[in-house]
Structures are given as structure tokens and as C-alpha cells.
Amino acid sequence: MELLTAVSVGLLFAIGVFQMLRRNVIRSVIGLMILANAVNLFLLSTGAYDGVAAAYTTSSGARSDALPQALILTAIVISMGGTAFVLAMLYIISARYHTADLDEVNGLKN
Amino acid sequence: MNYLALLPVLVPLTGAMVGLLLRKQRPLQAYWSLGTMLTALAGGLWLLLTVWQSGQPLVYNSGNWAAPFGIVLVGDMLSAIFVVTTQLVMVMGLIYALGSKDKVVTYPTFFPLFLTLATGLSGALMTGDLFNMYVFAELLVISGTVLTAVSDDRYGTEAAYKYFYISLLASFFMLLAVGSFYIAYGTLNMADLAARVAADGGRPLLLPGIAFLMATFMVKSAVFPFHFWQPDFHTAAPTAVSAMLSSVVVKLGIYGFLRMTTLLFVDQAPLIRAVLLVLGVVGVIFGGLSALGTHNVKRMLAYSTLAQVGFILVGIGWGTPLSIAAAIVFAFNHSLIKAAMLMLAGYIASRASVKSAAFEVVTGVGRPLPAAGFLFFVGSLALAGIPPTNGFVSKALLFNSGIAAARTWSLLLIGVTSIFTLMYTVRAFQRIWWLAPAEGITTKPAGDQLVAPALLLGLIVALGVWAEPLVAAATAASAALGDPSIYIRAVLGG
């Protein structure tokens, strides 16, 4: 299980970074989202194997750690807001520059 | 339980929410925001004085959960000084926005976003919890990005997109650091983490965590290898906002580095300091040379921030109590100077025929504006570190601490390259106020108001002549940083 999590986090990181470096703006945003999920999975793995029972319940067994779950919840909400904002900016940029190629969005260079 | 440590976060946040309700009454909203920020500044000064007199950090346990389980807000000398800097510059930014002719200040959410920017920054400076710092830093980033994206400058959205992308990556770095520390030490409370790292510095994920955290703060402060977004972002932002971004917002990383080297990772500090020293020297040289090569006043000042942040990093890198005090003084003074200079650049742009600070547009525009010329001249002196300005005080303190620490090479390098500052500011001054305007370039009869930069420059000269209180506060802060157990005991008790 640990190996599986480690491999999947690593794979998600690799895919995310690769997509982020693409020139197509849409692809790079998708890369960003994948990267966000990779980070969330990494955070989950910090407390995932401590126990099987939910925290703050009456069920018996080893308790799982509630803190990483709370952290991920916060991180998901923030990255959702961030993604929505990035997409809104992308919409404006694609309308203004008539392109989805990041190399052509270079108004600041000139 | 001490509510004074809560004020710098609570006041601007409440002000922003009420400001949103006042969106239909624009003048009322603007003055309400200014009043809120002034109240926050008063609160910040009160906090600073209280901490200074008692010598004990003030701790607020949110929700009455004791540290290390709850989130704490900690006001020690370092946080208080940075918070007061933030609030002081933010007040000036609001005054500038009140007298600005930009279209962006008429948007209903401009002033609330300005206040959430202040909330995010004060919160990140006050918090005693690493994850909470991430949340506040996100608030800061989103407010700053939105304010830039709606800028009058047509490249605002492009610059905002660039910055937001980079800062999302910085947030991922921060989350990775948080995860690493949580695996290794099982805590996110900064005081608790510091105590546990000091007790056992050999856990496997400690060094990667430090590296991730450093990368985060480097992006936040636009330190040399992570600086590329900064000139674009700071040039395209509306003047009132860019004056904030380039002065106080970049200080978040500085604060982070100070906390890392003096509280969190005292045993690993020599390694961090060595990296910061090299990056600082490179930043000073690179920033100075780039500022010389630009064709836009705002861009020049943005590159100059790169160089000035480099000076502060060198101060942190030397790491003696004297040089840390010098770095704190430098950070405070640079915030005031850079805010004033960027406001003046924005003022000139607002009087130019096209709203831009490019040299080809603003050459000769300053001829009918001697008052702004005088202010710009004083600001240039301050930036270059010439008396009677506070820039001289900060540079004198920094170089003195370098001499005392016998760091000959780095001192020599930054000493020689600080000549660049004078070269680029004088070149800009010459272009705007001395050269004859090109054919068809005229000065507009009206533009932004000069109140805010005039106030800031008054303060700059006053602090240059009477630097004693600031230096004493920074020395007290540096002395308190020398003993991390003060902070740890205040938060954890016992």
C-alpha cells in the first residue's frame, strides 16, 4: 500500500510537471491541477497509515490522524479557488491574444 | 490570552467585509478603508510598544485551544516591527489610491481587496503555525493578483497570470514543506517544531523540508533564481498596488528567512545562511545591472527591489546579532523608500501623455513638475544610502556589521555594486527632469496626487535624522531573536 501511494504520488508529480511545461495554456493548467492533487496525496500519506478508525468516534481500533485530513480539506478549497481564478484569467488572455500558445502571450517582453 | 496580537489580523479583515457592504457608496468606502487601516496601524504600534516594554511576546490562542494543538498568533518584536511596517505603508498606499486618477480604484472591490492584502500579510507575519502561514500567504497572493489583473495597464492580466502560476508553485512547495515537517516531527506549531528540531536534528525529511520552505520564501521575496516574475508583475500593477507589492509584500520572505535561521532551525542555520549570503550578493549585482539596463522607471525600481532585498539577505547571511538588527532596519527603511519611489514613478506616468512609465514616454515630462522632482531626488538619495535619509542609516548599520564580522569579500562586493543604485536613479532623474521632451510629448495638467509620497519622504528624512527609536527597536528584536527559548516559552508555556 505504501509503495502504491509512493508510486502514484511520484507519477502524478511527473505528469503534472510535464504538462505544466507545455506551451498550450489549457494543458499547463491541467498540469497545475494534477500537481495540486499530487501534493494533496502526499499530505494524506503523512497520516494515512496511523490507523483505521476515524478520529473522534466511538469505534474501536487504532485511530487515524485527523490533522492531515483537515490540512488537505483546506488545501483543496484553496487550490479550487486558485484554479477557478487561473481559468478566469486564461479566458481573458485567450480572448485578448487570440491564441492558446504561451509563446505568443508575450506582451510584456516588448 | 491576549487580544492585542489578534488586532492586526482582525481589524483589516472586518474592515474589508464592511467595505464590501459599502460598495455602492464609493467615497464612504474609500474613507472607511483608510480609517480601518489607520486603526490597524494604531493597534500595531500599541502591540509593538507593549512587546518592547515587557520584553515578552504576546500570544493569542485562537478558539482558546492551547498551543501546540490550536493555532496561535504570536506578536514578538520581529513580527511587531514587520506588521507596523506593513500597516504604515498600506496606509500610505490607501492615501495614494484616494488621490489616484486610475480607473481601477473606482471598482467596487478595490478597497476591500486592498484590506484583505493587508490581512493576509499581517496574518502571515503574526501566525505561529506553519500551515496557517500558508493560508494567509494564499490570501495575500490572491488579493495581490486580482488587484494586478484588473490594472489599467493592458498587460496587467498577463503579468498577474505569470505571477499566480509561480506563486501556486510556491504554495505547493510550502505544502510539501508542511507535510515533510509533519512526518518528521508531528507538529506544525512553529515554537513546538523549533523545540523538537533542536532536540533531534537528524530526522530523515528535515533537510528536504527546509529546502522546500526556502524555495517558498525565495519565490515570495523574488530572490535571485526565482525573481523572473517580479519586474513584470510589479510594473503592470496599478501604482498604489505596485508600491505595496514591491515594498512590503516582498518582505514576507525576509521575515520567513529570519524566523528560519533564528527560531526554527538554529542548528541548521549556518547552511541556510551560507546559501542566503551567496544569493544575496548575486541579487545585489544582478539587480543593479538589470536596473541599469531597463527602459521603464517602474521596471527599474522593481529590479532595484531585487538588489535591495539582496542587501537584506546578506545581512541575514552574516548572521551576527548586529547584522540581523541591520537587516531589520534595512527592511523597514527599504519598504518606505521603495513605496515612495514607485508612487512618484506612478505620479509621473499619470502626467505623461500615454499612461506609462517607459523612458521614451516620460522623458522631459517632469520639467513643469519641480515638486515631484525634488521628492524623487530625495528618494534617490535614500535609495542610494546618502545622508540625511534613512537609507544612509540602514546601509551604515549593514556595512558596520559586516566590518565587525570581518566578512571582507561579500562586504567589498556589495559595497562596490551599491554604486549602481546611484547610477540608475540619477539616470532616471536626468531623463525625466532635465532632458528636453521629444516632439509631441506634453505634460498633462492633472494627475495623481503627491500627498502620499510627500508624507513617506518626510518620514524618510525624519528617520534619517532621528534614527534612534528604529535602531533601538531593531536591536531589541535582534537580541530577542538571539534566544529562541523566549519565543518557545511564551507560546508553549512553562
Side-chain angles (χ1 to χ4, degrees), chain A residues 20 28 65 96-97 105 107, chain B residues 154 158 164-165 168 182-183:
Chain A
M20 259 198 74
S28 69
D65 190 349
R96 197 173 286 173
Y97 293 84
V105 185
Chain B
R154 50 193 289 262
E158 187 186 329
F164 198 63
Y165 225 83
L168 271 181
Y182 190 68
I183 296 175

Side-chain angles (χ1 to χ4, degrees), chain B residues 474-494:
Chain B
T475 313
S478 165
L481 289 179
D483 183 9
S485 65
I486 300 176
Y487 185 98
I488 296 173
R489 241 184 300 122
V491 175
L492 297 180

Side-chain angles (χ1 to χ4, degrees), chain B residues 305-430:
Chain B
T305 301
L306 200 60
Q308 305 279 321
V309 166
F311 281 112
I312 303 172
L313 288 183
V314 169
I316 301 174
W318 285 336
T320 60
L322 210 55
S323 70
I324 286 175
I328 296 170
V329 173
F330 206 116
F332 181 87
N333 286 342
H334 171 250
S335 300
L336 300 188
I337 300 168
K338 192 47 61 68
M341 292 294 274
L342 271 164
M343 284 171 185
L344 286 171
Y347 170 77
I348 291 301
S350 77
R351 299 294 286 263
S353 45
V354 192
K355 193 163 168 45
S356 159
F359 276 144
E360 70 231 37
V361 179
V362 295
T363 300
V365 164
R367 287 193 144 193
L369 312 166
F374 175 70
L375 291 178
F376 194 89
F377 182 69
V378 177
S380 306
L381 292 185
L383 206 56
I386 296 171
T389 57
N390 64 355
F392 170 70
V393 177
S394 37
K395 270 206 180 138
L397 279 176
L398 187 69
F399 288 178
N400 260 337
S401 72
I403 293 168
R407 297 298 193 98
T408 323
W409 278 109
S410 41
L411 187 65
L412 209 63
L413 274 172
I414 61 169
V416 170
T417 44
S418 60
I419 301 284
F420 289 146
T421 321
L422 205 57
M423 282 161 76
Y424 59 73
T425 48
V426 166
R427 192 178 66 129
F429 181 76
Q430 247 180 350

Side-chain angles (χ1 to χ4, degrees), chain A:
Chain A
M1 186 63 192
E2 281 175 33
L3 184 72
L4 190 66
T5 317
V7 168
S8 52
V9 169
L11 262 180
L12 281 177
F13 257 104
I15 298 170
V17 170
F18 176 70
Q19 291 292 352
M20 259 198 74
L21 297 174
R22 301 287 283 262
R23 273 167 57 184
N24 188 308
V25 278
I26 311 283
R27 277 175 196 277
S28 69
V29 169
I30 293 173
L32 211 60
M33 292 178 195
I34 295 175
L35 213 52
N37 283 310
V39 172
N40 288 340
L41 264 184
F42 170 73
L43 276 183
L44 184 66
S45 70
T46 63
Y49 311 112
D50 293 350
V52 284
Y56 310 119
T57 56
T58 50
S59 55
S60 58
R63 297 293 153 110
S64 70
D65 190 349
L67 189 73
Q69 300 169 16
L71 298 187
I72 296 166
L73 208 58
T74 316
I76 286 176
V77 171
I78 290 178
S79 69
M80 187 211 74
T83 312
F85 183 51
V86 164
L87 286 174
M89 279 198 288
L90 265 191
Y91 176 73
I92 291 174
I93 284 176
S94 63
R96 197 173 286 173
Y97 293 84
H98 303 290
T99 178
D101 186 344
L102 269 179
D103 276 6
E104 287 173 33
V105 185
N106 57 3
L108 284 160
K109 268 192 192 156
N110 312 315

